Amino acid sequence: MKEKLRKRGKKLKQNLGLYLMLSLPLAWYIIFKYIPMYGLQIAFKRFNPSLGIIGSPWAGLTYFKQFFESYYFTDILWNTISLSLFTMAIGFPMPILLALLINEIKSAKFKKFIQNITYVPNFLSVVVIVSMLTLFSNRDYGLFNKLTGSFGIAPVDFMSKPGLFQPLYVFSNVWQFMGFNAIIYIAALSGVDQELYEAASIDGASRMQKIIHISIPCIMNTILILFIMRIGSLMSVGFEKVYLMQNSVTISASEVISTFIYKNGIQKGQFSYSTAVGLFNSVINFVLLVSANFVSKKTTKTSLW
């Protein structure tokens, strides 16, 4: 027993720097992620700030029933799911395609140039992106109307059309984050054994055949891991951008769970109700994550755990 403790103490001293580095993110997670879970109980209480969390009376599943039975439940749930699925359907494969295309560029300078050009939009804030969308969508001088006008289409205010809210949100998201999200795939492709490509060239394989039979299979594990993580956040639609793009005309198509929680929890002070809605959203994400991980592990042997 003493020998084991001595060996562990020796390893601890040898890796002390690594443990100290680990302690900072670990402390951050404990303070900002785990300790706040204590407050989730207000979803089951009639929370009164003057009484505190412990002193507030229990309400059971009252607030969950209130949300499920509300007339706006199906609309908000559908908006959240449809927007997230649309975003994933367009936004998830685009970084993969970009990484594959960049990997095929032979010139190192041109490859670096393309990477920088596609990566720059990631540094723009959400406020700037929405401001750009507002300017581009302007009925009188907006870029979108200039383009559609060249085909004889009458000018419209794109930001005031409920049916255009999701396309504007999704494609602007793709433009902003495609380059940043492609980095991990580019890194994975850089680790592919070049002898595989050389052997394929000797066998007469075309570029497309190399991509299909070498590049994609070699990064499939990375794709699956990121896909599982994306499934686990399916219900977590970005709050800031949706809220900034919202207006009284598009509210029917743009109200999602995250904006609903903000309006009821922060603006209206319905803390217990908004916590119940947020907890429902988190449970759905957790179930989706576990399910996606289970299916992937059974079918492809690739999983998060």
Side-chain angles (χ1 to χ4, degrees), residues 174-185:
V174 171
W175 173 75
Q176 183 179 7
F177 299 113
M178 180 172 62
F180 176 79
N181 292 333
I183 291 175
I184 191 168
Y185 298 113

Side-chain angles (χ1 to χ4, degrees), residues 14-300:
Q14 291 175 344
N15 301 295
L16 183 60
L18 295 176
Y19 285 118
L20 289 175
M21 290 176 62
L22 178 63
S23 65
L24 293 176
L26 184 62
W28 184 87
Y29 266 94
I30 293 173
I31 295 171
F32 295 103
K33 296 294 183 180
Y34 286 96
I35 292 179
M37 288 184 184
Y38 170 78
L40 288 177
Q41 61 183 296
I42 69 174
F44 307 94
K45 289 189 171 188
R46 300 185 187 278
F47 177 66
N48 187 331
S50 62
L51 297 176
I53 295 177
I54 297 177
S56 298
W58 289 98
L61 300 176
T62 301
Y63 297 109
F64 292 93
K65 293 178 180 178
Q66 181 181 338
F67 180 59
F68 297 151
E69 295 172 357
S70 62
Y71 70 90
Y72 44 74
F73 171 70
T74 52
D75 291 336
I76 293 176
L77 188 62
W78 169 248
N79 288 341
T80 304
I81 294 175
S82 61
L83 182 58
S84 188
L85 288 176
F86 190 10
T87 303
M88 186 168 66
I90 303 297
F92 186 79
M94 290 302 290
I96 301 173
L97 294 175
L98 177 62
L100 292 171
L101 291 173
I102 291 176
N103 189 59
E104 291 300 311
I105 298 175
K106 300 303 180 182
S107 172
K109 290 184 177 180
F110 186 58
K111 181 185 291 188
K112 188 175 182 180
F113 173 75
I114 295 297
Q115 283 185 264
N116 290 336
I117 289 296
T118 55
Y119 186 73
V120 165
N122 180 70
F123 293 100
L124 299 178
S125 70
V126 177
V127 176
V128 172
I129 295 296
V130 176
S131 298
M132 291 172 62
L133 286 175
T134 303
L135 291 173
F136 292 162
S137 302
N138 188 274
R139 186 186 182 92
D140 299 320
Y141 53 80
L143 176 63
F144 297 154
N145 279 305
K146 294 291 184 182
L147 294 174
T148 56
S150 62
F151 295 98
I153 301 174
V156 296
D157 186 355
F158 286 79
M159 293 289 282
S160 297
K161 294 289 184 181
L164 295 176
F165 175 84
Q166 290 194 1
L168 286 174
Y169 177 91
V170 171
F171 286 106
S172 61
N173 242 34
V174 171
W175 173 75
Q176 183 179 7
F177 299 113
M178 180 172 62
F180 176 79
N181 292 333
I183 291 175
I184 191 168
Y185 298 113
I186 294 172
L189 286 168
S190 67
V192 178
D193 190 351
Q194 295 302 309
E195 292 183 358
L196 295 174
Y197 293 110
E198 293 173 3
S201 298
I202 294 173
D203 291 338
S206 63
R207 278 196 172 188
M208 184 57 67
Q209 288 174 326
K210 292 177 186 177
I211 291 173
I212 295 174
H213 298 290
I214 299 177
S215 299
I216 294 178
C218 286
I219 64 171
M220 186 54 67
N221 286 344
T222 302
I223 293 173
L224 288 173
I225 291 296
L226 293 177
F227 183 73
I228 293 171
M229 295 175 67
R230 182 65 187 86
I231 289 291
S233 60
L234 185 68
M235 300 289 286
S236 301
V237 180
F239 157 75
E240 297 90 348
K241 190 173 181 181
V242 174
Y243 185 72
L244 290 171
M245 289 179 65
Q246 275 185 353
N247 55 58
S248 57
V249 182
T250 61
I251 194 70
S252 60
S254 61
E255 187 76 314
V256 294
I257 290 179
S258 57
T259 57
F260 180 79
I261 291 172
Y262 170 77
K263 292 174 183 178
N264 284 271
I266 304 300
Q267 295 183 342
K268 296 182 180 180
Q270 299 178 2
F271 303 113
S272 294
Y273 183 46
S274 59
T275 302
V277 177
L279 182 58
F280 161 74
N281 191 59
S282 298
V283 169
I284 296 298
N285 276 335
F286 177 75
V287 172
L288 289 173
L289 175 63
V290 173
S291 301
N293 188 76
F294 176 79
V295 172
S296 179
K297 189 174 184 179
K298 288 293 183 181
T299 56
T300 66

